[in-house]
Amino acid sequence: MTDENSNGTLHRDEFLAERVRQQLEVFPEKFRELGEGGELRKLCREPTTLSGPKVNQAPEDFTEQYLIEPVLHGLGYWNPISDRYSGTGPHFVRRPSTYRNVEIKRPDYLLKNVSPRLVCLLEAKAANEEQATGDKRRATADIEEYVESNTFAKYLETLEKRYLVAIGTDGLRWVLWAKDVRTGETKRDLATVDLSDAIKSVAKRNDVIEGEPAQSTSEIRQFAAEEFLPSFAAHSVDEFVSNSFND
């Protein structure tokens, strides 16, 4: 984590880990702006759903705009409407119509230009709709439909794709499934990451909610680099998935 190149600039993974950490500040900062620190406190302490009236927006849209999309940016997927997006490289497409003739249900996001052999989909839910344990795994239920669809897998194979990667998230918790579309082999819960403690620490450090943060800035950055980036970042997900299938 301390590797630097000859110019003294941060190693790529450390740079991205810091960018993810910075993007985690967007979500609590929005609660501060709205004067709704109490709603964030409740969200962090209880398995409760986000209140739409409190955030003046549909809970899922709010979570996408202020948590999921900023984190995707941190992971190396550009928002194509950004003036810094060059038109090439990994980026996300919201509500894509790409596979509408194959799948009745369309994914919330398509992660494009990640790898020639991958198709990466992402299903988003409102914060706290994807619990780490128990039956409340709404995002996981959605991605399972795509992974288990043989019709979809056969279609992807005709496009000469090797793997279907399906990510489910409520912004706080992230889960990744993968399928080898040629063999049909599926890897369930190939990666699971919970960012809720990191977000809670960011919110406390920035005085959005009261209390002492459990994780320091450097600990959050290290957690992102070691636990989150290898399986979810744009530059590493291809290798992570192919290695899991011993390819």
Side-chain angles (χ1 to χ4, degrees):
M1 282 296 301
T2 58
D3 294 342
E4 297 185 353
N5 64 23
S6 58
N7 294 321
T9 55
L10 292 173
H11 182 276
R12 177 175 60 176
D13 283 356
E14 188 169 353
F15 171 81
L16 287 176
E18 171 61 14
R19 194 164 75 180
V20 167
R21 187 202 65 77
Q22 292 173 356
Q23 296 302 317
L24 292 179
E25 296 185 356
V26 175
F27 193 58
E29 188 57 36
K30 189 61 181 179
F31 283 92
R32 183 208 302 280
E33 179 187 321
L34 293 169
E36 289 293 346
E39 179 68 11
L40 179 59
R41 185 190 313 113
K42 185 172 66 173
L43 202 65
C44 290
R45 290 180 176 175
E46 307 169 16
T48 185
T49 54
L50 182 62
S51 168
K54 290 288 183 73
V55 297
N56 303 321
Q57 199 171 356
E60 187 169 309
D61 291 340
F62 182 87
T63 303
E64 289 176 356
Q65 186 173 356
Y66 297 109
L67 184 53
I68 294 173
E69 291 183 8
V71 170
L72 285 175
H73 171 68
L75 291 169
Y77 306 95
W78 283 96
N79 186 332
I81 68 172
S82 168
D83 57 8
R84 296 180 60 191
Y85 175 60
S86 65
T88 60
H91 61 281
F92 62 79
V93 177
R94 196 168 184 263
R95 308 292 187 267
S97 59
T98 310
Y99 306 111
R100 62 186 174 188
N101 294 328
V102 184
E103 283 289 306
I104 296 176
K105 180 176 178 289
R106 66 177 178 176
D108 292 318
Y109 292 88
L110 175 64
L111 306 181
K112 292 195 69 175
N113 294 353
V114 179
S115 165
R117 60 182 181 171
L118 295 186
V119 166
C120 298
L121 309 177
L122 185 145
E123 282 293 310
K125 295 296 177 187
N128 266 350
E129 288 287 340
E130 175 73 11
Q131 296 296 307
T133 59
D135 296 331
K136 195 175 180 183
R137 302 188 68 196
R138 306 283 169 75
T140 295
D142 280 355
I143 63 175
E144 186 174 11
E145 293 182 31
Y146 290 104
V147 172
E148 293 190 345
S149 170
N150 289 328
T151 300
F152 194 31
K154 289 177 181 177
Y155 171 74
L156 296 181
E157 189 175 4
T158 65
L159 300 179
E160 298 184 343
K161 302 297 182 181
R162 179 66 187 270
Y163 300 111
L164 168 63
V165 175
I167 297 170
T169 183
D170 65 355
L172 303 172
R173 301 165 192 89
W174 296 65
V175 58
L176 183 150
W177 288 32
K179 181 174 187 173
D180 185 328
V181 299
R182 298 179 186 176
T183 68
E185 182 182 2
T186 296
K187 302 283 187 178
R188 297 167 174 259
D189 294 326
L190 188 55
T192 57
V193 174
D194 192 336
L195 301 177
S196 54
D197 285 345
I199 292 171
K200 192 187 307 182
S201 291
V202 169
K204 289 179 177 179
R205 183 170 296 104
N206 293 348
D207 296 322
V208 181
I209 60 177
E210 71 281 355
E212 291 297 317
Q215 295 177 316
S216 67
T217 295
S218 61
E219 286 172 335
I220 294 173
R221 186 165 52 239
Q222 182 176 4
F223 174 80
E226 296 178 355
E227 304 295 332
F228 196 30
L229 293 179
S231 47
F232 290 92
H235 79 273
S236 55
V237 62
D238 184 8
E239 182 179 5
F240 175 80
V241 168
S242 62
N243 285 347
S244 73
F245 286 97
N246 299 313
D247 187 8

